[in-house]
Amino acid sequence: MIKLTSQSTNLKAYSFRFLFFLWGLILSFTSYSGNYCTEIPKLIHQLNTHHISPVAINENSEREILKLFINELDEHANYLTQAELKSILGFQIKGRSAITDEPCQFLQIASAIFKRRLLFTDSLVALLLSKPLDFKKADTIFFSGDTATYAGSEKEFINRWRKWLKYQILDEYYEIKTDSANNLLAPEGVFAEQEVFIRKKLSIKYHRKINKLLQHPGGFENYVSYLLLNAIALRFDPHTEFFTKEIKENFEAETSPVLLSFGIEFEENDQG
């Protein structure tokens, strides 16, 4: 259900990144009051003007953009099912393009679908963790480093989350109750007591994770629009990204040889 991947990021890597920032956006997500969907034609124009090998937006390239958009939206298949994928990929209004003709209407529909799935998943996780899971039943969970596979039905989706949460509880318990030699420190009877604590911890963790998406500082719809803008940039070139003003400023600060800091660093854990 959720793939495990390893990544290493080197800000000084010898690769080129095209930095596109549309001055028409002017403000960052945190203060921009408009709708980012209206910036899609401007981005496409900038790419067509400045890219060495522009990509024509046709039926095939649009479908590729929408697949990249879905990957940006739900990379690990945690929220969407194949039914939602079909709705997003099959968007058509009298044959008009989701990218070049009706981007705002497309994003309105996609945002509504994604928000509905986030709310459903939030309720589902809370329900599954509201009572002890059945650990006597044998289950199998697969981890893949390839493209995520989306659930074919609601039943399959629910079952994936049930198995994933079982795995998470066991993993948390193992970390709590083992020593450096991986020997269990607690008797079997202690599991029931710890399981209650772990379920509460996981419930808070996933609620916060989903709520951070729903309550994005720049607005949920703008967040979804940004993901589509980035998908369009990626389709033109895998080393090209769309930067909002805020991301642009953070990127420049991180890669600058001069950095002003106060010596204080704040981190947020699963409990906030």
Side-chain angles (χ1 to χ4, degrees):
M1 173 181 169
I2 299 180
K3 68 179 182 182
L4 299 181
T5 60
S6 60
Q7 280 186 322
S8 61
T9 304
N10 185 354
L11 294 177
K12 297 182 180 179
Y14 296 100
S15 62
F16 293 97
R17 173 180 290 181
F18 291 98
L19 174 62
F20 286 92
F21 170 65
L22 305 183
W23 292 105
L25 297 182
I26 300 176
L27 302 176
S28 69
F29 271 158
T30 53
S31 56
Y32 183 75
S33 58
N35 194 329
Y36 268 42
C37 75
T38 60
E39 304 305 321
I40 289 176
K42 297 179 185 179
L43 174 62
I44 293 174
H45 173 72
Q46 291 290 327
L47 289 166
N48 283 326
T49 301
H50 300 291
H51 202 282
I52 190 171
S53 181
V55 176
I57 305 297
N58 52 37
E59 185 176 345
N60 291 332
S61 60
E62 178 170 312
R63 188 170 182 85
E64 291 169 356
I65 288 170
L66 294 183
K67 287 181 177 180
L68 287 170
F69 169 61
I70 289 171
N71 187 63
E72 295 266 313
L73 204 64
D74 187 16
E75 180 182 6
H76 303 305
N78 291 336
Y79 310 115
L80 302 174
T81 67
Q82 290 183 21
E84 284 76 45
L85 264 63
K86 185 177 180 181
S87 296
I88 293 173
L89 291 174
F91 174 87
Q92 276 192 336
I93 299 178
K94 297 180 180 178
R96 294 174 63 79
S97 165
I99 305 299
T100 59
D101 298 325
E102 303 289 348
C104 290
Q105 188 160 358
F106 166 73
L107 282 167
Q108 184 178 16
I109 292 172
S111 296
I113 290 172
F114 190 45
K115 178 177 284 189
R116 184 174 68 248
R117 294 304 302 178
L118 287 173
L119 291 170
F120 175 78
T121 305
D122 188 36
S123 300
L124 172 64
V125 172
L127 178 64
L128 290 173
L129 293 174
S130 65
K131 54 186 178 181
L133 297 172
D134 183 5
F135 288 93
K136 294 181 180 180
K137 177 184 177 182
D139 276 313
T140 303
I141 187 168
F142 296 94
F143 297 90
S144 173
D146 301 322
T147 304
T149 302
Y150 293 82
S153 65
E154 207 71 89
K155 182 178 179 180
E156 181 185 349
F157 180 82
I158 294 171
N159 196 41
R160 284 188 181 189
W161 266 106
R162 180 188 60 79
K163 292 196 291 185
W164 173 249
L165 292 172
K166 280 180 65 174
Y167 168 77
Q168 287 284 285
I169 291 172
L170 292 172
D171 187 58
E172 288 275 347
Y173 179 75
Y174 184 79
E175 289 191 11
I176 292 172
K177 293 300 176 183
T178 56
D179 58 19
S180 58
N182 292 330
N183 297 312
L184 282 173
L185 298 176
E188 185 177 342
V190 177
F191 176 75
E193 177 184 336
Q194 289 295 326
E195 190 263 354
V196 174
F197 166 77
I198 295 170
R199 276 193 290 114
K200 290 180 180 179
K201 179 181 176 181
L202 291 176
S203 183
I204 294 171
K205 172 184 175 180
Y206 285 109
H207 175 70
R208 286 185 55 79
K209 183 177 181 180
I210 293 172
N211 199 53
K212 284 181 73 173
L213 293 176
L214 291 168
Q215 303 298 327
H216 194 280
F220 181 76
E221 287 74 17
N222 273 343
Y223 166 68
V224 175
S225 298
Y226 158 71
L227 296 181
L228 180 59
L229 284 160
N230 200 45
I232 294 170
L234 287 171
R235 176 58 187 85
F236 272 74
D237 187 283
H239 303 292
T240 300
E241 293 183 26
F242 175 81
F243 281 10
T244 64
K245 182 179 180 181
E246 183 181 50
I247 297 174
K248 171 181 175 289
E249 291 174 348
N250 290 337
F251 176 79
E252 290 176 340
E254 290 175 357
T255 56
S256 172
V258 179
L259 178 64
L260 299 177
S261 63
F262 298 99
I264 300 175
E265 184 175 336
F266 293 94
E267 293 185 357
E268 183 178 9
N269 61 20
D270 292 337
Q271 284 72 47

